[in-house]
Amino acid sequence: MAGVDRSRRSSSPPPLPWTVRVQLAALSAAHRSDGSARRLLFYLGDLHAAASPRPDAAGVRSFDVTIDASRGLWARVFVPPTAAAKLPVVVYFHGGGFVLFSAASRPYDALCRRICRGVGAVVVSVNYRLAPAHRFPAAYDDGLAALGYLDANGLPEAAELGAAVDLSRCFLVGDSAGGNIAHHVAQRWASSPSSPPASLRLAGAVLVSPFFGGEERTEEEVELDKASLSLSLARTDYFWREVLPEGATRDHAAARVCGGEHVELAEAFPPAMVAIGGFDLLKGWQARYVEALREKGRPVRVVEYPDAIHGFHAFPELADSGKLVEEMKLFVQEHSSNRMA
């Protein structure tokens, strides 16, 4: 089986559309040279979209559900145009280094709408609590709580909109920090005994440019540190400082998932798909993750985008973003069939 391509063909990605360059420049301006966020500037630019039960141009409708009012935990649910059969469920975790964005942020509202329509699934975008106010393991706890809520309650609101869900075909999907959350939540759900047996079963996990790390600097981190405005080493270090327990290093189990050589996996850990960008400075860690899954004999599908930067999926102007949604659709179809066989 072929390994992940960790080579570097040039020092910078191909030219990006001006709309993408402007958005990346604004994101970069919202961070200081040490990687820390200029919070006021960021929040002024983090425009939110409201949920709406009225269909958008693609026929997607949305509504918000409260998961746990005591901790302010909620999710935004996206429902595709009415379908005759029960639909798979995609539980989505947004990126932002555990520190930034929300399920209502316009880029993520728009991305979840594209996934909902393109994959043909009900999407549940979890608005997990953010660091540094809520450090490790808050985001993982919130992800697990979201699964528990779905298992106990289902989505009757989606049924009212004409979409029945099949919780035995539940897929965890996340990008960047959300990809990290998807891994840890899958591991925790697969490790916990269920009595009575859960109706929700994990059919797969999709990790898009997942955010892993360690004290060691990989070759890719050094070479690609300045390749794109979307991410830098200073920023990744800042995010880890904000989310990890006080005094912890980047070798903490939340960051260094592979624990040196091997990843800890429950027997019921689901099949995985990992999307890797050729100009993502995290791709060395992502490659190690893929290799560790394969060493454990776990099915993992790797989708590589040689010209992609970290965060490419959030920009519909980029062709690779559309290709990713198509790959998600194929992955969901494949593992939905396996579940139904």
Side-chain angles (χ1 to χ4, degrees), residues 10-243:
S10 64
S11 59
S12 59
L16 299 169
W18 71 268
T19 52
V20 175
R21 296 200 305 271
V22 168
Q23 292 176 76
L24 290 177
L27 179 64
S28 181
H31 288 83
R32 301 180 182 88
S33 59
D34 66 355
S36 61
R38 303 177 192 271
R39 292 186 177 275
L40 178 59
L41 186 58
F42 176 82
Y43 290 126
L44 288 174
D46 182 25
L47 302 179
H48 286 191
S52 175
R54 302 179 66 177
D56 62 15
V60 174
R61 293 168 288 180
S62 62
F63 58 89
D64 294 339
V65 295
T66 299
I67 296 172
D68 185 345
S70 68
R71 50 176 136 167
L73 179 59
W74 59 274
R76 177 157 296 175
V77 182
F78 301 85
V79 180
T82 305
K86 284 190 173 183
L87 298 172
V89 177
V90 165
V91 177
Y92 195 89
F93 301 103
H94 67 80
F98 299 93
V99 174
L100 305 173
F101 298 113
S102 79
S105 295
R106 283 188 180 178
Y108 281 106
D109 183 272
L111 174 60
C112 286
R113 288 177 183 276
R114 295 200 304 275
I115 294 171
C116 176
R117 177 65 176 175
V119 173
V122 170
V123 176
V124 180
S125 181
V126 181
N127 195 63
Y128 58 88
R129 293 168 294 169
L130 299 177
H134 304 283
R135 292 176 177 267
F136 167 89
Y140 306 155
D141 291 343
D142 290 352
L144 203 63
L147 295 188
Y149 173 90
L150 290 174
D151 184 53
N153 301 284
L155 285 171
E157 301 92 342
E160 291 174 7
L161 295 179
V165 299
D166 180 359
L167 289 175
S168 72
R169 293 186 290 153
C170 181
F171 294 82
L172 302 187
V173 181
D175 72 279
S176 194
N180 177 298
I181 295 170
H183 165 80
H184 284 284
V185 171
Q187 170 65 10
R188 289 177 62 174
W189 182 265
S191 301
S192 30
S194 179
S195 181
S199 59
L200 185 149
R201 291 180 173 84
L202 296 184
V206 178
L207 285 65
V208 181
S209 307
F211 183 28
F212 300 132
E215 283 297 302
E216 170 195 353
R217 296 299 192 195
T218 67
E219 180 181 345
E220 293 82 2
E221 284 177 308
V222 175
E223 290 183 346
L224 298 173
D225 182 25
K226 307 299 182 184
S228 167
L229 292 176
S230 64
L231 194 64
S232 67
L233 273 178
R235 247 179 271 174
T236 61
D237 289 353
Y238 161 71
F239 291 144
W240 289 127
R241 288 196 302 272
E242 294 290 272
V243 71

Side-chain angles (χ1 to χ4, degrees), residues 140 180 184 211-214 240 244 249-258 285:
Y140 306 155
N180 177 298
H184 284 284
F211 183 28
F212 300 132
W240 289 127
L244 294 177
T249 72
R250 295 189 303 274
D251 285 334
H252 186 279
R256 196 178 180 109
V257 169
C258 295
W285 291 110

Side-chain angles (χ1 to χ4, degrees), residues 86 166 168-169 333-341:
K86 284 190 173 183
D166 180 359
S168 72
R169 293 186 290 153
Q333 288 176 339
E334 176 188 354
H335 293 285
S336 291
S337 299
N338 292 347
R339 176 66 64 184
M340 296 167 66

